[in-house]
Amino acid sequence: LDDANPEEITVAEAMTEDVLAVSPETPVAEVARRMAELRVGSAIVIDDGRVAGIFTTMDALQALAQGGA
């Protein structure tokens, strides 16, 4: 996508298909470690088979700053 025009590229063409999915009960430290290993900036939180939210690098930083990681 280096020479791609963002006005013409669709989300489907640009998105990552292999996503990291975690449960709401997964410890922050574990999710952060897995995100770093996979070199991704977010994880999808799945609860009871449904998307409950998204955990991002900013969420990890905030947890670390509060002493929760």
Side-chain angles (χ1 to χ4, degrees), residues 5-59:
N5 180 346
E7 297 294 327
E8 297 174 3
I9 298 297
T10 66
V11 171
E13 293 171 310
M15 71 182 187
T16 300
E17 293 182 6
D18 296 326
V19 298
L20 173 58
V22 298
S23 77
E25 293 80 25
T26 308
V28 168
E30 180 181 335
V31 179
R33 184 177 57 252
R34 290 173 58 194
M35 287 170 59
E37 289 171 357
L38 297 171
R39 300 182 57 86
V40 297
S42 60
I44 305 301
V45 181
I46 304 292
D47 190 17
D48 199 27
R50 300 186 66 190
V51 173
I54 185 166
F55 181 84
T56 67
T57 52
M58 184 58 69
D59 297 323

